[in-house]
Amino acid sequence: MIIFTKRGGAMINIAICDDEKFMSDELSGLLYEFFSPKNIEIKICQFTNGSTLLKSNKPLDLIFLDIRMNGTNGMDVARILRSRNYKGYFIFVTVMEELVFDSFEVQAFDYFVKPVNHERFHKTMERLLSVMQNSSETNLFIQRGNEWSIIPFDDIMYCEIINRKIYLHLERQEVIDFYEKIENMEKKLDNRFFKCHRSYIINLKYVRNYKKDTAYLCNGEEIPVSRLRNEEFTNAILQYMKEWRF
């Protein structure tokens, strides 16, 4: 699970599973080299075999797997983790390119052939980061200057639009502001969010009551609802209750 650091950025939890220590160390170095300039913190755990990784209860966003290892091989590790409903990303590392054909079965993101080409590594990681940034499944990815923040949808109570800035009001009573067009913001959010007013996008999860022109949130805040959107807002709440609460 991608989490916040105290500095307000994101932390990505990464595992490297390879029985060759020098390979794990090289990948670790490349990862730090890639993420550090982007102000994205990473935490790397190294595993020397698949069995140890499978016994770990660490939350992991990205896993590098050597396909050929003593004991449980990397492909089998990936199959087992997918059967446990692991939703993160796999990247395989192998000495033989033909061994990666089975990677489609476990929805691997990519693979590297040893020795790892540094230029290809950076291109793959740029592509992965882009996929993560554009993911709309559970998180919102925002950029402020050179810093990225990854915010779970469930943490967002509502978005307030003032001039060209968006203010995210979070459940933990924190407000994060950044520049974004409201049209782009709506596209990044899923159907638990509803634009109830030209200046507000509300997370229906936090609506506790609704009376004429006003939505009352669970923390006591009141959000205006446009008269033109009253009926749509009511229907959105009913649909949300069907899809998300039951």
Side-chain angles (χ1 to χ4, degrees):
M1 178 178 61
I2 302 173
I3 62 174
F4 281 105
T5 67
K6 292 180 179 179
R7 296 186 308 179
M11 176 177 286
I12 300 178
N13 293 288
I14 302 172
I16 301 173
C17 188
D18 198 305
D19 54 11
E20 297 177 315
K21 182 69 165 58
F22 76 90
M23 190 73 251
S24 292
D25 290 342
E26 180 180 353
L27 287 172
S28 295
L30 289 170
L31 285 164
Y32 283 118
E33 180 183 297
F34 175 79
F35 282 107
S36 291
K38 302 180 184 297
N39 289 324
I40 297 176
E41 292 192 36
I42 59 174
K43 182 177 181 180
I44 299 175
C45 299
Q46 294 187 5
F47 298 89
T48 57
N49 58 74
S51 299
T52 306
L53 172 58
L54 290 171
K55 292 176 183 176
S56 171
N57 59 0
K58 298 179 182 297
L60 297 170
D61 306 299
L62 170 62
I63 302 176
F64 289 84
L65 284 166
D66 182 9
I67 293 182
R68 300 184 72 173
M69 292 185 291
N70 294 325
T72 310
N73 67 48
M75 200 65 70
D76 286 338
V77 170
R79 291 189 183 104
I80 293 169
L81 288 174
R82 287 298 189 216
S83 72
R84 295 177 181 176
N85 204 34
Y86 174 68
K87 300 294 186 182
Y89 299 93
F90 293 125
I91 293 180
F92 287 110
V93 185
T94 180
V95 293
M96 299 178 66
E97 189 169 3
E98 59 267 25
L99 294 177
V100 304
F101 292 127
D102 290 339
S103 64
F104 294 104
E105 176 189 342
V106 294
Q107 298 176 315
F109 185 80
D110 206 341
Y111 67 91
F112 297 125
V113 177
K114 298 180 181 180
V116 176
N117 180 286
H118 291 196
E119 182 179 354
R120 187 175 188 279
F121 178 91
H122 277 262
K123 287 182 178 179
T124 295
M125 296 309 299
E126 286 286 3
R127 188 162 51 88
L128 174 60
L129 186 57
S130 177
V131 168
M132 296 173 73
Q133 290 163 359
N134 291 306
S135 169
S136 61
E137 184 177 354
T138 57
N139 298 304
L140 176 68
F141 294 77
I142 63 174
Q143 183 177 12
R144 294 181 292 175
N146 293 322
E147 182 177 293
W148 288 95
S149 294
I150 304 175
I151 304 172
F153 282 169
D154 274 346
D155 288 357
I156 303 170
M157 297 188 71
Y158 64 93
C159 312
E160 184 178 13
I161 299 90
I162 302 176
N163 296 325
R164 294 189 300 113
K165 253 190 178 182
I166 289 181
Y167 295 80
L168 295 183
H169 295 256
L170 306 183
E171 184 182 20
R172 56 178 178 270
Q173 298 184 333
E174 181 183 354
V175 179
I176 296 177
D177 62 277
F178 59 101
Y179 288 98
E180 180 62 279
K181 292 181 179 179
I182 188 171
E183 295 82 6
N184 295 338
M185 186 68 181
E186 283 187 277
K187 292 176 183 177
K188 293 179 180 180
L189 300 171
D190 63 18
N191 60 359
R192 80 191 81 179
F193 291 88
F194 184 83
K195 185 183 176 185
C196 59
H197 186 278
R198 64 182 180 182
S199 299
Y200 292 94
I201 301 174
I202 195 169
N203 187 339
L204 299 173
K205 169 185 175 181
Y206 293 102
V207 176
R208 287 297 172 265
N209 197 4
Y210 172 53
K211 295 181 181 179
K212 186 179 180 181
D213 301 334
T214 304
Y216 299 86
L217 304 188
C218 58
N219 66 348
E221 290 192 67
E222 300 179 8
I223 305 297
V225 178
S226 168
R227 291 183 181 181
L228 297 175
R229 307 221 70 187
N230 269 328
E231 185 176 347
E232 285 184 72
F233 185 58
T234 301
N235 291 335
I237 292 175
L238 293 174
Q239 189 63 33
Y240 169 80
M241 292 175 67
K242 291 178 182 178
E243 294 183 8
W244 296 93
R245 293 187 179 178
F246 301 101

